[in-house]
Amino acid sequence: MDVLLCGDLDAGEALAWQQALSQALPELRWHDVAQARARPEAISAALVANPPPGSLQGLPRLGLIQSLWAGVDRLLADPTLPAGVPLARMVDPAMSQAMAETALWATLALQRDFFVYARQQRQGRWQQHPQRRADEWPVLVLGQGAMGGTAARALQAAGFPVQAWSRGAGAAALQQALPRARVLINLLPLTPATSGILNAALFNALPRGAALVNLARGGHLVEADLLTALADGRLSHAVLDVFGHEPLPPAHPFWRHERITVLPHVAAQTDLRSAAAVAAANLRALRDRQPLRHLVERGRGY
Ligand code: GLV
């Protein structure tokens, strides 16, 4: 089986993927974009890590696009993405677990004022704040997919009162949940329906001093609204792992904002050690004409 491997992978990473998958499926033959262009009719599957637009056009026998990323918003925004080809996103329990760890870390740090203490250390200031209990620190998780669901369960197990919302629950349910949330964690897929959902109207519905944790996509957040909400005390802190432009440009105000914690898109990285088996299972299913897993509904956007 001839497979195109392309996207956000350096040479070493690409080789590691090839080796891991060839171990599971020795018949695989690997192609990069240039090699696929030379023999487009040979390619029957593509393994892609957030590839640049245009990478997948002109492959007449493509039978599967397997994303190595959980989020497929960039792929779906590519007008040259072949229309009829099944597209699968990466759903890997190890990735969901990593995301749950990040959500838990951010929530604990907010509940126990650890970001405040980090700021105080930079100022050489010794000042103790009242210690809050997890059960008085309600968390609202947006998104109830593999990651949102795993994060919500981990937070609940740690003693936080957790509300979970997904788009299917409707706007009224979100309006009802927001006023209780000390921490708002975003794990929604980025779609036209969720783009810009983290905006002033939503921040204004949170209790004063709530915190935002965006672990999904930069496109969910209206950056100017966040800066305003932090400036006027509506929000106390934001933990951001994802940005409209990545890498976050050096001059961007988020870098040096004392109430924003910036992570370089690491909340849940694809882990080859487990994700290779997920991708291999779908390549095997394609070969054996079995049902493919984790397929994206393109109209829905995830
Ligand atoms: C990372 O953001 C991913 O979508 O896997």
Side-chain angles (χ1 to χ4, degrees), residues 12 33 53 61-62 77 99 148 164 175 211 221 241 257-258 287 289:
V33 172
R61 295 180 47 204
L62 194 60
M99 189 58 94
Q175 284 313 311
L221 174 66
D241 182 54
H257 197 295
E258 61 166 13
R287 179 195 67 190
R289 298 176 193 282

Side-chain angles (χ1 to χ4, degrees), residues 45-299:
L47 241 58
V48 299
N50 209 33
S55 307
L56 297 169
Q57 58 185 332
L59 303 171
R61 295 180 47 204
L62 194 60
L64 167 67
I65 301 165
Q66 171 68 58
S67 174
L68 302 180
W69 279 39
V72 291
D73 41 288
R74 185 174 181 188
L75 277 165
L76 290 175
D78 176 357
T80 72
L81 186 73
V85 180
L87 166 63
R89 65 206 168 87
M90 178 51 64
V91 178
D92 174 2
M95 224 175 155
S96 301
Q97 172 63 24
M99 189 58 94
E101 289 166 0
T102 304
L104 191 55
W105 158 78
T107 303
L108 285 165
L110 291 160
Q111 170 224 349
R112 296 291 313 281
D113 279 324
F114 295 139
F115 294 124
V116 175
Y117 292 125
R119 199 158 59 229
Q120 287 182 197
Q121 180 180 355
R122 289 193 291 275
Q123 300 160 350
R125 184 149 58 96
W126 182 282
Q127 185 188 354
Q128 297 169 340
H129 302 285
Q131 178 175 290
R132 286 176 297 249
R133 297 191 322 220
D135 66 2
E136 46 194 23
W137 204 246
V139 181
L140 171 58
V141 180
L142 306 186
Q144 282 301 287
M147 291 186 178
T150 308
R153 284 189 294 279
L155 288 159
Q156 209 148 29
F160 294 98
V162 176
Q163 302 185 90
W165 180 85
S166 62
R167 261 203 8 103
L174 179 58
Q175 284 313 311
Q176 220 165 26
L178 286 167
R180 275 196 67 213
R182 301 299 316 175
V183 180
L184 178 72
I185 300 180
N186 179 38
L187 282 167
L188 288 165
L190 181 64
T191 70
T194 64
S195 172
I197 191 171
L198 305 177
N199 58 33
L202 182 137
F203 301 149
N204 288 338
L206 289 166
R208 193 167 178 79
L212 170 70
V213 180
N214 187 18
L215 307 178
R217 284 292 183 263
H220 286 121
L221 174 66
V222 179
E223 293 190 352
D225 288 4
L226 172 63
L227 291 172
T228 304
L230 288 167
D232 66 19
R234 166 61 60 187
L235 292 181
S236 58
H237 198 90
V239 177
L240 306 177
D241 182 54
V242 286
F243 305 91
H245 288 100
E246 296 181 7
L248 187 65
H252 197 288
F254 287 176
W255 276 119
R256 273 162 286 277
H257 197 295
E258 61 166 13
R259 291 177 184 275
I260 295 179
T261 299
V262 169
L263 297 174
H265 204 139
V266 291
Q269 297 173 273
T270 300
D271 185 340
L272 178 140
R273 291 168 295 180
S274 47
V278 178
N282 253 357
L283 290 174
R284 202 175 288 117
L286 178 71
R287 179 195 67 190
D288 300 343
R289 298 176 193 282
Q290 295 297 310
L292 299 165
R293 297 202 61 203
H294 311 307
L295 291 181
V296 171
E297 276 182 43
R298 294 205 189 188

